[in-house]
Amino acid sequence: MYQDELDAGMDPLLAKQEFYCSFDAGLFGAFYTNELSRAKFGDFPWNPQKPVHTFWDIGLKDSTAIWFGQESNDGEAINIIDYEQANNVPFTKWVSDIRSKPYSYGVHSMPHDFKKRDWKDGRSASSLANEFDFSFELTPDLPIKQGIDAVKLFIPRLRFNNKNYRVNQGVDALF
């Protein structure tokens, strides 16, 4: 019966959950469950000697989420050291909050639609960024499936600082 379901196209994690009471499957429909199982979790604190890069997911109907990461000393991994998330926060407030942190920043990676995004005050996000001398790079505009696949390749390189409560909240949001 198990093999019949797999042959019929059932997701292998869902099949394990249903037939063997496995808890390895995340929330059904979650995109990154397998990849997160290959990421590392531990004490990966902020290194003041390295720049911090931010990775943004601008929420339209949900929260805006910002991940803070640094290249590891060996250059093989990205240490996720901090995370912020909120609804209905103006871009100018985000810039102020980010600048209040003790980090020296490298690249702020914005989604491709950042230039089009209106932050409820009638001005585009990119014009506000220029006004506040907030430099950023846009991620490529990929079809949804290719974007998900790109993130799936990236997640196993991540090392999450699970000593930071906010990072743990961010990880929970990925499940």
Side-chain angles (χ1 to χ4, degrees), residues 3-60:
Q3 191 59 48
D4 293 339
E5 292 296 332
L6 290 177
D7 293 343
M10 181 181 251
D11 180 276
L13 287 175
L14 181 60
K16 283 184 182 178
Q17 176 182 306
E18 294 299 313
F19 288 94
Y20 298 109
C21 296
S22 170
F23 295 100
D24 290 339
L27 180 64
F28 188 67
F31 299 118
Y32 308 120
T33 302
N34 282 340
E35 291 71 23
L36 283 166
S37 71
R38 295 195 317 258
K40 304 259 187 297
F41 296 85
D43 189 9
F44 304 108
W46 168 48
N47 178 348
Q49 306 304 315
K50 291 188 170 271
V52 173
H53 308 286
T54 62
F55 308 92
W56 295 57
D57 180 9
I58 300 171
L60 294 174

Side-chain angles (χ1 to χ4, degrees), residues 56 64-66 84-99 119 134:
W56 295 57
T64 290
I66 306 169
E84 293 289 340
Q85 172 183 319
N87 286 322
N88 299 317
V89 174
F91 180 69
T92 53
K93 174 82 166 100
W94 278 123
V95 171
S96 174
D97 289 352
I98 287 171
R99 286 183 171 161
W119 290 75
F134 187 83

Side-chain angles (χ1 to χ4, degrees), residues 97-147:
D97 289 352
I98 287 171
R99 286 183 171 161
S100 73
K101 292 181 178 280
Y103 310 140
S104 295
Y105 290 102
V107 175
H108 297 287
S109 290
M110 298 295 189
H112 65 88
D113 60 349
F114 175 70
K115 284 193 164 196
K116 297 182 253 178
R117 177 75 156 95
D118 179 353
W119 290 75
K120 299 188 192 265
D121 62 2
R123 297 185 298 172
S124 72
S126 61
S127 70
L128 287 169
N130 290 334
E131 184 178 323
F132 286 87
D133 195 29
F134 187 83
S135 60
F136 60 90
E137 290 183 8
L138 294 177
T139 58
D141 185 3
L142 300 173
I144 291 173
K145 169 103 173 72
Q146 286 180 338

Side-chain angles (χ1 to χ4, degrees), residues 59-76:
L60 294 174
K61 296 178 184 164
D62 58 354
S63 297
T64 290
I66 306 169
W67 294 93
F68 297 75
Q70 294 181 295
E71 189 175 314
S72 64
N73 287 335
D74 63 12
E76 296 296 317

